[in-house]
Structures are given as C-alpha cells and as structure tokens.
Amino acid sequence: MSTFLVEADTPGLTVGRHEDKMGLRGSSTVPLAFEECRIPANALLGKEGQGFSVAMTALDGGRIGIASQALGIGLAALREATSYARERKTFGKPIGMHQGIGFQLADTDTELEAARLLILRAALLKEAKKPFTQEASMAKVYATEAANRACYRSLQVHGGYGYTKEYAIERLSRDVRVTTIYEGTSEIQRLVIARGLLQAG
Ligand SMILES: Cc1cc2nc3c(=O)[nH]c(=O)nc-3n(C[C@H](O)[C@H](O)[C@H](O)COP(=O)(O)OP(=O)(O)OC[C@H]3O[C@@H](n4cnc5c(N)ncnc54)[C@H](O)[C@@H]3O)c2cc1C
C-alpha cells in the first residue's frame, strides 16, 4: 500500500454529494472517488509500500486534534449547564444547589480536566518527537467519551429546554457524537492501547 498526493483537478477524481449529517453542519463531508487517475511518480508521499505507516502516523497526530475538539465541545456543554443551573430555580433554590444536579457538574468538570491532561501529555510527547501512539489513543478515547457524557448531562440539566433548538446544548449534543467515531472509533483506540500494553516487555 502506498500513499499519493492527488491534485484536485486530476481527471478521474470525482467529488460526491455532501453527506446530510446529524451534526457538524458547518463543515462539508464528501466522498471522493479515484478512477484510472494518472499521476506523476513524484506524487508519491513517503516511500513506496509504506502507505499504511504514513496513514497511521497522520492519524496519531489527528487523534490529538479530535480529542481537543471534543474537549472544547465538552467545556462549552459544561459552561451552558453551569449557567442554566444558576438561573433555573425549582423548590425554592437554583437547580445547581440540588445535589443531584451539582454532582453532575462536578463529575463533568473533573472528567474534562483529566481529558485536558491526557491531551497535553500526548501533545508534549509529539512536540518532543517521542513515540506517542498509545498516549494519543488514550487522550482520544477518554476525551471524546467524557465530552459525550458532558453533553448528555448538560442536556439533562436543561430539562425540556435542552431538547429544543433554543439552547446551544442541542447543537453541541449533535456535534459531539461523531468524535467517538472519526479519526478511529473508540473501539479502535482501545485496540491500539491494548495492543501496546500486550506488546510491551
Ligand atoms: C463527519 C465525518 C467526517 C469524516 N471525515 C473523514 C476524513 O476526512 N477522511 C477519512 O479518511 N475518513 C473520514 N471519515 C470516516 C471515518 O474515519 C470512519 O467513519 C471511521 O473511521 C469508522 O469507520 P467506518 O465508518 O468504516 O466504520 P466500521 O469500520 O464499519 O465500524 C463499524 C463499527 O464496528 C466497530 N469495529 C470495526 N472494526 C472493529 C474491530 N476490529 N474491533 C472492534 N470493533 C470494530 C467500529 O468501532 C464501529 O463501531 C469521516 C466520517 C464522518 C462521520
């Protein structure tokens, strides 16, 4: 398997229709088809036969990016939940003062902080040009799942309003969902982490 850089105007390269996605509506996602494309030898990216390794290396870095995207969405969800929990009153006090809601905010804050540290560790290793495959997968699986939990809890804190388009949490809940899927699913991250663990001395 080899990787190539293909110019967008290459005959045989076609861009399919935009996918109608549940979230990330501001970003387009399209299928690409390559049929009988003729490309010059210097379009080879990396060495011949090393394509899988090139792709995996790109994914390792990308996973830190998606983990960071998830952390951002999770933090926005926590901000929305905290603000709503201060504002909305039931049974004579702001809902955040009911332990059942306050604890959800506390768990979310803690998990997102843990996600931030895992992301920073992977990014520091990458910057230092040290191996970071395992660390990127750990950051990705943890941050994206923590962010999904953050959105789930935040929508719950909003009550019925959370299920309407009036509050930002509705969009955040749709946007966050894909983060455990693209750049390698959660299952694939766990596979990478387990393989590293089993192969280590
Ligand atoms: C919005 C969006 C943007 C995207 N952008 C890009 C892009 O820019 N470039 C690009 O190349 N791709 C892109 N993708 C594709 C994305 O990376 C894949 O959808 C993702 O990697 C999962 O692959 P799949 O859809 O083929 O699922 P499948 O591989 O069919 O997996 C289906 C299910 O089976 C599980 N599974 C599969 N294999 C195993 C296994 N060995 N062990 C346990 N469980 C397993 C998966 O975890 C998943 O739950 C994008 C997808 C989306 C939704």
Side-chain angles (χ1 to χ4, degrees), residues 59-60 63-64 66-68 70 111 114-123 125 131-147 149 179-180 183-198 200:
L59 279 179
D60 283 346
R63 283 168 186 167
I64 300 176
I66 301 304
S68 308
E111 289 173 20
R116 185 201 303 275
L117 294 174
L118 282 173
I119 293 169
L120 286 175
R121 180 178 69 149
L125 288 170
F132 65 99
T133 300
Q134 303 295 110
E135 290 78 4
S137 282
M138 286 181 192
K140 207 261 176 186
V141 71
Y142 189 81
T144 59
E145 293 188 357
R149 286 192 294 275
T179 62
T180 60
E183 215 73 8
T185 61
S186 282
E187 290 75 20
I188 296 301
Q189 308 310 323
R190 290 190 167 89
L191 219 119
V192 170
I193 298 164
R195 192 183 296 144
L197 199 58
L198 295 167

Side-chain angles (χ1 to χ4, degrees), residues 8 13 21 36 62-63 65-66 68 73 84 87 89 94 96 100 102 108 110 112-113 141 155 158 160 163 166 187 201:
L13 166 55
K21 307 192 295 291
E36 305 292 340
R63 283 168 186 167
I66 301 304
S68 308
I73 299 173
Y84 192 78
E87 185 185 298
K89 292 192 177 75
T108 302
T110 307
L112 293 178
E113 206 48 43
V141 71
L155 197 151
H158 282 75
Y163 201 62
E166 197 171 329
E187 290 75 20

